[in-house]
Structures are given as C-alpha cells and as structure tokens.
Amino acid sequence: MRKKCLLANWKMLGDTQQISTLVEQLIVGISSGAPNSEVVLFPPAPYLRLVAEAIKATSIALGAQTVAEFAPGAYTGEVAAEMLIDVGCRYVLVGHSERRTLFAENDAKISGKFSRAMKLGLIPVLCIGETLKEWQAEETFAVLTRQLTAVFAEANDLKDFIIAYEPVWAIGTGKVASPEHVQSVHRFIRAILTDVFHLEAQKIPIVYGGSVKAQNFAALLAMEDIDGGLIGGASWQAAEFIEMSKMCLI
Ligand code: PGA
C-alpha cells in the first residue's frame, strides 16, 4: 500500500509569531504515528530551525521549498542540501511552478536540484503541471512527459521521491481540477513511472496540488492514484489542515 502524504507549502509567508502559533496548533491536532501517512511542513527557509525544534518529538516531518543544485561553495544566496539536512529537513520541493515561472528554473536546473537532493538523502517532491494555455491547447500530457523525462533521464534507479501534479491554472485560483481529471492525469504519470521504474512505480506517491481544501480533498483522495495533497492557502488554517490530515490516516 502506498503512503498518503499531506504537504503544507507555506510559500514566502508568515513570521515567527504566526509560524510558532500555527505549528503549535498542528502538533495538538495531528495524530501521531500512523505508519502509512506522512505530514510534512515546508516553511520559508529562515523558520526551518524553529519548526524543526517544535516538531522534533512528533511524527510531523520537515521540508524546504527549494535547494541549490550545487555542492556548498561560493553561491551567494543559495542553500545547499547538506544545510537543509543539518537543520532537520527530510524533504524538499523541487520545480514548483512559481520557481519555474518567476525564477526561470528550467528542466535542466530542476533535474540538477532533484539529483542533488536524492544524492544527499533528501526526499524530493517533484512538482509538475501544465499552464492554462497548455491545458487549453490539450498539451497536458506532452508537458508532463517532458517535465518527468528531463528529471529521470540521468537517474533511472531513483526510487524515494514524491510527484506533485499541480496544474498551474489551479494554484491559488480556487479552481480545483475535478477528481476524475486528476485521476486520469495521475494514471498517465504512473504509466511513465512504470516505464522507468517498473514495479517500483507502484510505491511512488503522486499527490495533487491546486486549491485543495478540506471540502474537496476527500473526493480527490478517494481516487486510486491520488495519494495525498500539496496544500498552499488552506495549510495556513490549522483546523482545515488538521481535518485533511485525518482523511489521510489509513
Ligand atoms: P494552493 O497552492 O493550495 O494555494 O492552490 C498549492 C501550491 O502552490 O503548492
């Protein structure tokens, strides 16, 4: 059975006070120790240590929102995988659409970040998804194939990672993709994973992101190939996020 993953992407938001309060509420509300579900918080980099300390006696895990593709060295402003591990991260988001569009991260760069994270033992969450224009032009499958194969081209024995399918038109817009649509895309992604990783592909979680809330999450989770969610806006509301975490308990 694949694990269910609930991932909180806090983006470039919050301050010490807000993040401490939110984490305290989540610790109280999220049941610990379910073997087949994983809750991961992705705070902005300056708050990683604070969150790591707060969650250290819980089953909640920590992740960063991006990582450098380089080993430590003269790369002003960047953060190396070694540093993320040092402050307690187990996961890292790679290729979020905001990184791709606002920070010009192309497939080659994303592939470098993915490989470096894996090499150092961080679990990358590879974010992929089509834009509205690509969706309307029925290019979704072609875009996803390109984004996936760019990353797998160099490394076909990689196994411990998560895929997050996030149609760009659904992120922060309130327009959630229908469970049937997401299931058909996830099935397509799983077929690509199967080509590369064979039977191991069955173990790779594929989560959906884009305007997920407690109210629409259960129907998504009920689909065979939807293994959880990458949650932006709704992860700032403790009650919503706690409710979603309960849906992931299996
Ligand atoms: P959203 O963001 O839930 O606010 O749509 C998802 C994301 O950007 O990962």
Side-chain angles (χ1 to χ4, degrees):
M1 187 191 286
R2 277 189 298 276
K3 60 181 177 186
K4 299 275 183 222
C5 305
L6 185 65
L7 317 176
N9 177 9
W10 291 345
K11 309 199 178 190
M12 196 178 74
L13 292 164
D15 57 23
T16 301
Q17 180 62 47
Q18 288 168 318
I19 288 182
S20 310
T21 308
L22 179 57
V23 174
E24 288 313 319
Q25 290 169 331
L26 296 181
I27 291 170
V28 172
I30 293 175
S31 359
S32 56
N36 269 320
S37 66
E38 182 86 308
V39 175
V40 190
L41 308 178
F42 294 83
Y47 305 108
L48 284 169
R49 175 79 85 179
L50 181 158
V51 177
E53 280 297 313
I55 63 177
K56 73 173 176 233
T58 75
S59 62
I60 302 172
L62 183 67
Q65 297 176 12
T66 185
V67 62
E69 63 270 46
F70 311 112
Y75 299 101
T76 303
E78 291 291 304
V79 180
E82 286 86 341
M83 298 167 184
L84 298 178
I85 293 166
D86 187 34
V87 297
C89 291
R90 283 186 42 223
Y91 292 83
V92 64
L93 299 181
V94 174
H96 189 281
S97 73
E98 286 148 19
R99 303 288 322 165
R100 290 179 192 263
T101 54
L102 303 172
F103 301 96
E105 290 190 4
N106 59 19
D107 286 328
K109 197 169 176 69
I110 289 161
S111 170
K113 288 169 185 276
F114 186 90
S115 311
R116 178 113 183 92
M118 293 273 319
K119 192 169 158 209
L120 273 288
L122 278 172
I123 301 174
V125 179
L126 177 67
C127 304
I128 55 174
E130 79 285 5
T131 62
L132 181 61
K133 217 165 137 215
E134 289 161 344
W135 186 54
Q136 286 165 340
E138 298 184 7
E139 287 167 6
T140 300
F141 288 170
V143 169
L144 298 180
T145 304
R146 194 202 71 225
Q147 292 175 335
L148 284 168
T149 46
V151 163
F152 299 147
E154 290 172 37
N156 62 6
D157 61 342
L158 305 176
K159 286 173 200 109
D160 205 2
F161 61 89
I162 297 174
I163 302 286
Y165 168 55
E166 297 202 300
V168 180
W169 48 269
I171 297 176
T173 58
K175 282 191 215 144
V176 63
S178 76
E180 293 73 22
H181 169 76
V182 180
Q183 166 59 25
S184 70
V185 174
H186 283 211
R187 175 153 295 181
F188 174 78
I189 294 169
R190 190 151 334 268
I192 294 186
L193 295 176
T194 304
D195 277 349
V196 183
F197 302 105
H198 313 289
L199 276 180
E200 292 293 327
Q202 288 305 320
K203 296 190 199 145
I204 300 166
I206 307 175
V207 305
Y208 166 78
S211 299
V212 178
K213 307 188 196 64
Q215 183 223 337
N216 54 33
F217 192 44
L220 287 159
L221 263 189
M223 295 287 163
E224 193 184 332
D225 289 287
I226 305 180
D227 305 313
L230 175 53
I231 322 295
S235 67
W236 278 99
Q237 293 155 40
E240 281 270 317
F241 194 72
I242 291 165
E243 204 180 326
M244 288 189 263
S245 76
K246 299 209 161 98
M247 296 176 197
C248 287
L249 294 175
I250 44 172

